[in-house]
Amino acid sequence: MFYTNGYSENTSIYGKPQQDIHAGFHTRGAYSVLRHPVYHGTIIMWLGPALVTGNLFFIISFVLFCCIFFERIMLAEERYLKKTFGLKYSRWAQNVPIIIPKLLNFKKPDTAFSWKRAYKKSTGRLALVLTAFFTFDVLTQLMALKPDYNILYLLVLIISITGTLFIELQNLIQNAGSKKKKFSSY
């Protein structure tokens, strides 16, 4: 997911184009080996905290829920892309798998990787995952006879949440500035 976000020039966190929705769709980088790399990355990212529970029923339930949830989104997205881009999308989709990546299909992205863009688009999810791990760690330590808190989780969590808040604040300031420009032009 971090990799995909770092190369995705005109997509939002949820993969929806921010500028012109009819400009095109991504076919290079992670999108050349898998049709929905961000959804797959999200599932893998959240599988970590699920595995930490050690509860087989919870892990299987989580995987089934994610598969059903994301399958619905993927189908709706595929219908939209087919309707919008027609034959161009259909040809691309025939060669790119939906579930298991086909690594031999890899095509280098057209755009340069941007750490800033990758962090900006991934930071909220990263903070959520770190919060989940930290919560599991605290609960485990509370139940242990000899608590041994992992301060590293706390530090990374604080840095990630601070980064998220900074980026959100920056976006609010930018949006407020663009609204002022619109009103001052009247």
Side-chain angles (χ1 to χ4, degrees):
M1 181 182 59
F2 196 79
Y3 170 84
T4 303
N5 287 336
Y7 279 110
S8 298
E9 197 169 291
N10 66 339
T11 59
S12 70
I13 292 173
Y14 303 103
K16 295 176 187 164
Q18 290 179 332
Q19 292 122 6
D20 182 8
I21 61 168
H22 299 292
F25 58 94
H26 295 289
T27 59
R28 302 183 75 74
Y31 290 94
S32 65
V33 296
L34 195 62
R35 278 193 249 171
H36 303 282
V38 173
Y39 299 140
H40 284 78
T42 301
I43 291 170
I44 291 168
M45 181 179 70
W46 280 107
L47 187 58
L51 290 170
V52 168
T53 67
N55 183 323
L56 188 61
F57 176 76
F58 179 76
I59 294 167
I60 292 171
S61 299
F62 169 80
V63 170
L64 288 174
F65 170 78
C66 283
C67 288
I68 292 168
F69 178 77
F70 284 112
E71 185 256 353
R72 299 283 99 201
I73 294 171
M74 287 185 222
L75 286 176
E77 196 171 273
E78 298 240 342
R79 279 192 300 270
Y80 169 79
L81 290 169
K82 193 171 187 175
K83 180 180 164 189
T84 305
F85 300 105
L87 192 56
K88 182 180 176 185
Y89 176 77
S90 295
R91 279 193 211 127
W92 171 78
Q94 283 178 340
N95 298 319
V96 179
I98 197 165
I99 297 175
I100 299 172
K102 190 174 180 182
L103 299 177
L104 295 175
N105 277 1
F106 183 78
K107 292 178 186 123
K108 190 176 182 213
D110 293 328
T111 59
F113 183 83
S114 165
W115 285 100
K116 182 179 179 182
R117 185 173 49 232
Y119 181 76
K120 188 174 183 178
K121 291 182 176 184
S122 304
T123 190
R125 292 177 184 175
L126 179 63
L128 285 171
V129 170
L130 291 172
T131 302
F133 274 110
F134 180 72
T135 303
F136 284 127
D137 188 48
V138 167
L139 292 173
T140 302
Q141 296 304 322
L142 288 173
M143 293 186 284
L145 296 174
K146 286 180 155 183
D148 181 27
Y149 294 100
N150 189 342
I151 201 72
L152 180 63
Y153 282 146
L154 182 60
L155 290 174
V156 174
L157 179 65
I158 289 169
I159 291 167
S160 179
I161 290 175
T162 303
T164 302
L165 292 173
F166 175 75
I167 287 171
E168 291 301 321
L169 183 61
Q170 196 175 26
N171 288 341
L172 283 172
I173 291 168
Q174 284 175 350
N175 289 340
S178 66
K179 286 180 183 176
K180 278 184 182 179
K181 286 179 187 176
K182 282 182 185 177
F183 289 123
S184 65
S185 64
Y186 288 115

